[in-house]
Amino acid sequence: MTMVDRDIHLPVAAQPTIDSIVDYTRAAETAGYDCVWLPETWGRDAVTVLSAMAERTESIDIGSSILNTYSRSPALLGQTAATLQELAAGRFRLGLGPSGPAVIENWHGMTYGNPLKRTRETVEIVRQVLSGEPVDYDGDEFELSGFRLRCAPPETTPPIEVTGMGPKAVELAGRFADGWHGIMLTPEGIDTRLEDIERGADLGDRDPDDVHVTAGVTCCVLDDPQEARALARQHVAFYIGGMGTFYRDSLERQGYDEAADIYDAWQAGERERALELVDEDILDDLCAVGDPETAREQLARYEAIDGLDAIAVSFPRGADEEGIRRTMDAVAPDA
């Protein structure tokens, strides 16, 4: 069995300061994690925080997971990647994705359009920017001419990794990106998505092993295992019911017909009903929660997947600082 990296997907909800987020990053570096991924939601912008993380760490990779492909232009994303790669001394990884219409249209006031095509063209343009050569691009979503970095391009080009839930989105990653990130997937669900990666790599005349595959897994280790499960249950219900239809559809593709009922209950304001529908099997299949031994055993199921390169440890939305740090320690690479 090949060695699987152990990453951290940083929590951002209700973090009091930038320093607190950087402290998690430094703790992950000390604990032997390979990379820390920072999401961008509706709080602090990711680029500023990633800059602080880069300056205050020495060896751990840092990455965006994700910057959406609508609120920043592809040229600006390329500039940002070049700048963060310089600041991090070659440790930056650019995570991109289209997000969803609720975010893009409601928060940013932009038309969602064709997310797959936009993601593909963004990846291609960012690569041109990072090459340091003039950017001339004629696509369906973007037309650019005359842009060129006025600083030296990165000596080591940062990898461009994309998100995506459906078969076509994952196929696109296999065809064009350096990596793919998936979340809310069982080990069996990851296996199926790896088939999409292979199909995309074949279409792009690439080796699928060149696509770095990362699975995000919700983890929670507490003194009270039942409290850990309760936090994970709330997290799963929120994602299925309250984050658009992406996670509902993904769970249905993986054989969980009850995902539609969870979604409907949440949308109807029946939150307790939605929580009840997230049964023990769903929790055990999707998460690594409870006592330390149980969580490590559940993560081991993902480590056994042939073709998976990294597990990104993430945390339930309701986890506090003590729970996050306890979980990080319990499932650290050297634990």
Side-chain angles (χ1 to χ4, degrees):
M1 183 173 64
T2 58
M3 184 65 68
V4 175
D5 288 348
R6 188 71 57 89
D7 298 348
I8 287 287
H9 194 268
L10 290 172
V12 293
Q15 299 306 310
T17 63
I18 292 174
D19 285 342
S20 66
I21 300 173
V22 173
D23 284 346
Y24 288 131
T25 307
R26 297 175 70 177
E29 183 174 56
T30 299
Y33 285 93
D34 295 281
C35 182
V36 286
W37 296 97
L38 181 74
E40 184 171 68
T41 52
W42 52 92
R44 301 174 181 91
D45 80 278
V47 176
T48 302
V49 181
L50 284 163
S51 298
M53 292 160 53
E55 284 200 310
R56 301 185 209 173
T57 55
E58 297 179 357
S59 59
I60 195 168
D61 284 355
I62 62 169
S64 57
S65 182
I66 64 167
L67 300 180
N68 79 69
T69 55
Y70 287 84
S71 59
R72 295 176 177 87
S73 74
L76 179 56
L77 286 167
Q79 290 176 267
T80 298
T83 304
L84 285 169
Q85 183 71 320
E86 179 181 355
L87 194 60
R91 295 180 288 123
F92 179 66
R93 294 159 66 177
L94 177 63
L96 297 174
S99 189
V103 171
I104 301 308
E105 295 180 352
N106 295 348
W107 298 358
H108 295 289
M110 303 181 70
T111 301
Y112 193 56
N114 188 326
L116 295 185
K117 185 171 291 183
R118 190 179 184 98
T119 299
R120 171 183 171 176
E121 293 190 7
T122 297
V123 170
E124 292 174 338
I125 294 167
V126 169
R127 283 214 177 101
Q128 288 191 26
V129 171
L130 291 172
S131 74
E133 298 300 319
V135 178
D136 291 296
Y137 191 88
D138 184 11
D140 294 327
E141 297 288 317
F142 301 102
E143 292 184 19
L144 283 77
S145 64
F147 181 91
R148 184 174 185 175
L149 279 179
R150 294 191 65 187
C151 58
E155 184 175 337
T156 301
T157 303
I160 305 172
E161 308 185 20
V162 300
T163 60
M165 302 293 291
K168 287 297 182 181
V170 183
E171 179 185 293
L172 180 145
R175 191 171 182 181
F176 299 105
D178 299 311
W180 170 69
H181 293 203
I183 64 172
M184 206 65 71
L185 292 163
T186 68
E188 293 76 17
I190 290 287
D191 274 331
T192 301
R193 298 284 74 83
L194 285 169
E195 295 174 6
D196 300 329
I197 292 285
E198 292 173 1
R199 185 173 62 253
D202 184 62
L203 289 170
D205 194 25
R206 307 175 66 200
D207 184 342
D209 289 342
D210 292 338
V211 183
H212 192 274
V213 175
T214 301
V217 182
T218 301
C219 302
C220 189
V221 175
L222 300 176
D223 291 333
D224 182 353
Q226 291 308 311
E227 182 183 353
R229 295 182 71 82
L231 285 174
R233 179 174 281 106
Q234 292 167 2
H235 182 86
V236 170
F238 170 77
Y239 265 75
I240 297 173
M243 292 289 285
T245 59
F246 298 107
Y247 301 101
R248 179 199 67 186
D249 295 346
S250 176
L251 266 293
E252 287 188 305
R253 281 193 295 269
Q254 295 175 76
Y256 297 92
D257 295 335
E258 59 267 46
D261 295 329
I262 296 168
Y263 176 87
D264 291 341
W266 190 277
Q267 291 294 310
E270 300 172 1
R271 304 297 165 81
E272 291 301 320
R273 172 63 176 159
L275 291 173
E276 291 172 0
L277 290 168
V278 180
D279 63 22
E280 300 299 313
D281 289 340
I282 293 179
L283 280 185
D284 288 335
D285 291 346
L286 288 174
C287 305
V289 297
D291 60 73
E293 183 179 358
T294 299
R296 288 194 287 264
E297 288 175 352
Q298 290 170 325
L299 285 180
R301 299 173 304 151
Y302 288 88
E303 290 181 320
I305 299 172
D306 185 22
L308 183 67
D309 298 295
I311 295 169
V313 173
S314 64
F315 311 95
R317 296 171 64 247
D320 60 17
E321 181 179 356
E322 181 181 352
I324 290 167
R325 290 188 179 276
R326 179 168 171 76
T327 301
M328 287 177 64
D329 291 341
V331 299
D334 299 329

